[in-house]
Amino acid sequence: PVVTFVQPGQVSSWLAWIKNLWLPPFFVDPEKSRIARLTYVVLQVALIVMLLLGMLQITTQPWPGLTNFLQMFLSFTTVLLIAMICTRTGFVRLANYIFNLGLLFICTYSAIFLDGGIHGVSYPLLYVTVVHAGILLGRRAAFVNASLTILIGIFLFYAENNGLLPSSGTMLATYLQLAIYAGGLTVAASLIYLACLLYTSPSPRD
């Protein structure tokens, strides 16, 4: 007799479960559902970008240059997964705070310890936090993120010019830097595009 560990019905149920998991969540409150949909799609776009960057790095970058990227990759992927879980369970605003503060911390940490300061690829990605905050966390959050980004830039500039930053080790290839910038632009463009769809009808803002 042929031993089958997975029945065809189980495969289809698993595929249906994965499909439902990938779809944005819906709630009784229509406004909450709209914001959750935008949040979830942005998190999905960011996750896809991270996976594509990970595959590009692994296939093109020698191992000594992968260690710094893997730290960023694993940290940010973990943040995205936690934020997606929060969105699906109804904690939509918390999910946006986790995404925003997680990206802010990871990019700042990478700029200081892994990326060589203000001239690396991590610091410029902080503009994504400003765009995200302005659309999903309110106007005040956008100004707070912009102010923090400016202060971080001033600190990095001072530290870099006074030799306070650790050595960044290996430098990323130019095409990998371009790919990272393109990923950040993709997430920002997705935020703006979906926000235009989301706010076609008036809604209260901060």
Side-chain angles (χ1 to χ4, degrees):
V2 179
V3 178
T4 57
F5 295 96
V6 180
Q7 300 296 328
Q10 292 177 314
V11 174
S12 60
S13 62
W14 273 101
L15 292 176
W17 180 78
I18 293 173
K19 180 181 177 181
N20 290 332
L21 188 64
W22 189 250
L23 292 174
F26 291 92
F27 303 100
V28 176
D29 183 359
E31 180 67 14
K32 184 176 182 179
S33 291
R34 292 199 305 161
I35 297 175
R37 178 177 177 270
L38 172 57
T39 301
Y40 205 70
V41 172
V42 169
L43 294 174
Q44 289 173 325
V45 171
L47 183 61
I48 292 172
V49 167
M50 287 302 298
L51 293 175
L52 291 176
L53 287 175
M55 289 188 291
L56 181 63
Q57 284 272 45
I58 291 173
T59 55
T60 59
Q61 189 82 349
W63 176 252
L66 280 176
T67 52
N68 290 347
F69 175 79
L70 286 177
Q71 292 182 49
M72 291 181 60
F73 176 82
L74 293 176
S75 300
F76 192 52
T77 302
T78 301
V79 167
L80 290 175
L81 293 176
I82 293 174
M84 292 177 79
I85 292 172
C86 289
T87 305
R88 293 205 68 86
T89 53
F91 299 98
V92 180
R93 193 164 184 84
L94 176 62
N96 282 297
Y97 276 116
I98 289 173
F99 173 78
N100 193 278
L101 296 176
L103 180 59
L104 183 73
F105 175 80
I106 292 169
C107 288
T108 303
Y109 176 88
S110 300
I112 295 173
F113 296 104
L114 307 176
D115 207 21
I118 200 169
H119 298 291
V121 296
S122 299
Y123 175 73
L125 294 178
L126 289 177
Y127 71 86
V128 177
T129 66
V130 180
V131 177
H132 170 264
I135 293 174
L136 286 168
L137 294 175
R139 292 189 293 269
R140 286 192 294 270
F143 281 108
V144 169
N145 273 263
S147 301
L148 287 175
T149 300
I150 293 170
L151 291 175
I152 291 168
I154 294 172
F155 167 77
L156 291 174
F157 177 79
Y158 174 83
E160 187 175 336
N161 281 274
N162 289 274
L164 301 178
L165 296 181
S167 174
S168 59
T170 57
M171 295 293 294
L172 290 175
T174 304
Y175 67 90
L176 290 176
Q177 296 181 33
L178 177 61
I180 293 173
Y181 290 141
L185 288 170
T186 301
V187 175
S190 300
L191 273 164
I192 296 171
Y193 173 77
L194 291 170
C196 291
L197 298 178
L198 178 67
Y199 295 117
T200 50
S201 59
S203 60
R205 302 296 291 152
D206 289 340

